[in-house]
């Protein structure tokens, strides 16, 4: 059996066992998920969800986050 065939078998088996993997980080879209993942490298998922709740209401996109500015973003996540 080739390595690629074994990989397919493993992936199929994992999808059977775990059909839907919940994401513990609260997010609204791909951008907010990315921000939450980066923040979770330094904190717990629970704490990240607390910190980003208000931030994502105000800045749910890269453009709005940019407009918010570094100092204002920091005030939400400190």
């Amino acid at each position: 059996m080739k390595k690629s065939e074994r990989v397919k078998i493993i992936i199929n088996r994992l999808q059977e066992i775990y059909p839907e993997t919940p994401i513990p980080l609260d997010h609204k879209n791909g951008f907010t998920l990315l921000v939450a993942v980066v923040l979770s490298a330094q904190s717990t998922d629970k704490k990240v969800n607390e910190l980003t709740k208000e931030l994502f209401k105000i800045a749910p996109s890269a453009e709005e986050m940019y407009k918010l500015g570094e100092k204002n973003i920091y005030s939400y996540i400190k």
Side-chain angles (χ1 to χ4, degrees):
M1 182 180 297
K2 293 181 181 179
K3 187 176 181 179
S4 62
E5 293 171 329
R6 288 194 314 259
V7 169
K8 286 180 184 178
I9 291 170
I10 292 169
I11 289 173
N12 288 336
R13 183 68 179 126
L14 287 171
Q15 287 176 338
E16 289 173 13
I17 296 170
Y18 306 105
E20 289 187 35
T21 305
I23 300 173
L25 296 167
D26 295 339
H27 62 286
K28 297 177 182 232
N29 53 44
F31 174 73
T32 57
L33 177 58
L34 175 64
V35 171
V37 168
V38 170
L39 291 172
S40 72
Q42 298 297 319
S43 188
T44 64
D45 292 346
K46 181 180 177 183
K47 190 64 175 174
V48 169
N49 288 338
E50 291 173 14
L51 296 172
T52 57
K53 185 177 181 179
E54 294 301 316
L55 176 63
F56 291 164
K57 285 180 184 176
I58 295 170
S61 71
E63 182 180 359
E64 291 166 336
M65 191 76 69
Y66 175 77
K67 288 178 183 176
L68 193 56
E70 183 179 342
K71 288 181 182 179
N72 289 325
I73 294 169
Y74 182 75
S75 69
Y76 284 95
I77 63 173
K78 64 179 178 175

